[in-house]
């Protein structure tokens, strides 16, 4: 018999404004403990020294994680010019240096080649798997890391501010799987001056904004008290990028049992992936065809 998870069957999203220092998994663990939740996960890792939006799903909200992971995200980051490092950030050993410093116009011109549909090689110190091993584990062991380029959609990449001759602040909006450290590395190489990330903040991720994020101090303050539940956002928040269809209570019962059911739609077109609601609550995610939803993922009542 399967072992029952410890903790409450509580569901919803918690948006953390992550500070520099803790890993994403450490933050998930703290939030899960604070809510005494049976199940928790996050929608997109942040490096330990990065700050900003870390969206954490509890319970049934974990079923909506892929829709946040796939959504656009915005990052604001400062790069240091003149140095490339092993880790492509300020934590790593310097591997290349240059006295050349580009102009603002040079930076803007080079950003164009890193915008749109690009091919990006992830940093050697990343969680990408190579033959079952994490790339960072191979790199830490001193072995060579060879990663293949992978496609990335960069919606926009702009120079926000030139802080001084050695530092510039940029903002990027991108899709799933983007590495800001790789953007800094590739920009530095394109400019023949080398570069690495000095500071990084995720400003927003899908529907979640850092300005609405909760601090870890607040989580500690309310941990395992009834008041902490007020920090939860509905499960449905993770589905806002999908069309919504509506169904009756009878259809909801059919959908929750994995069967197609009739729905009402003013948003979905034939073949769209969408989510069904009953009285405002998520029932299922599936494919809409001719007035019927064919469920792929269902939510408990």
């Amino acid at each position: 018999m399967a072992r029952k998870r410890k903790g409450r069957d509580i569901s919803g999203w918690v948006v953390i404004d992550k500070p520099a220092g803790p890993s994403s998994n450490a933050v998930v663990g703290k939030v899960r403990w604070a809510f005494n939740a049976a199940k928790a996960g996050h929608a997109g890792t942040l490096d330990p020294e990065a700050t900003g939006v870390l969206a954490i799903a509890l319970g049934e909200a974990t079923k909506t994680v892929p829709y946040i992971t796939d959504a656009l995200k915005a990052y604001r980051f400062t790069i240091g010019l003149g140095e490339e490092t092993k880790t492509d950030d300020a934590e790593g050993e310097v591997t290349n240096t240059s006295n050349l410093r580009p102009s603002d116009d040079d930076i803007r011109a080079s950003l164009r080649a890193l915008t749109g549909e690009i091919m990006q090689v992830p940093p050697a110190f990343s969680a990408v798997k190579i033959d079952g091993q994490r790339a960072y584990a191979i790199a830490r062991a001193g072995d060579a890391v060879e990663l293949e380029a992978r496609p990335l959609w960069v919606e926009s990449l702009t120079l926000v501010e030139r802080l001084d001759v050695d530092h510039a602040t940029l903002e990027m909006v991108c899709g799933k799987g983007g590495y800001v450290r790789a953007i800094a590395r590739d920009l530095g190489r394109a400019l023949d001056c080398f570069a690495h990330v000095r500071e990084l903040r995720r400003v927003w991720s899908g529907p979640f904004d850092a300005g609405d994020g909760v601090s870890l101090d607040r989580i500690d303050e309310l941990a395992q008290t009834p008041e902490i539940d007020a920090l939860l956002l509905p499960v449905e928040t993770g589905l806002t990028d999908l069309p919504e269809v509506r169904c009756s209570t009878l259809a909801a019962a059919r959908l929750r049992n994995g069967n197609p059911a009739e729905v009402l739609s003013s948003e979905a077109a034939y073949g769209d992936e969408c989510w069904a609601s009953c009285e405002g609550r998520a029932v299922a995610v599936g494919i809409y065809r001719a007035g019927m939803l064919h469920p792929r993922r269902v939510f408990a009542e």
Side-chain angles (χ1 to χ4, degrees), residues 198-280:
R198 300 289 303 177
E199 294 180 1
L200 169 62
R201 181 168 178 78
R202 186 151 60 198
V203 181
W204 53 263
S205 177
F208 303 121
D209 193 279
D212 301 322
V214 180
S215 70
L216 287 186
D217 287 343
R218 185 64 172 158
I219 294 293
D220 281 331
E221 181 186 339
L222 298 178
Q224 302 203 1
T225 68
E227 289 76 21
I228 199 168
D229 290 357
L231 302 180
L232 274 179
L233 298 174
V235 170
E236 293 77 17
T237 314
L239 298 169
T240 52
D241 281 351
L242 293 180
E244 180 184 0
V245 297
R246 292 172 176 79
C247 66
S248 67
T249 54
L250 183 61
R254 286 186 54 80
L255 290 169
R256 286 194 172 105
N257 284 323
N259 300 308
E262 187 174 358
V263 293
L264 297 174
S265 172
S266 59
E267 298 180 26
Y270 187 92
D272 277 354
E273 185 175 33
C274 55
W275 68 284
S277 67
C278 180
E279 298 178 352

Side-chain angles (χ1 to χ4, degrees), residues 76-97:
R76 181 169 287 219
F77 57 104
T78 297
I79 60 172
L81 300 166
E83 292 182 340
E84 185 170 286
T85 72
K86 266 190 174 181
T87 56
D88 300 315
D89 62 16
E91 301 299 301
E93 174 189 344
V94 175
T95 54
N96 288 300
T97 62

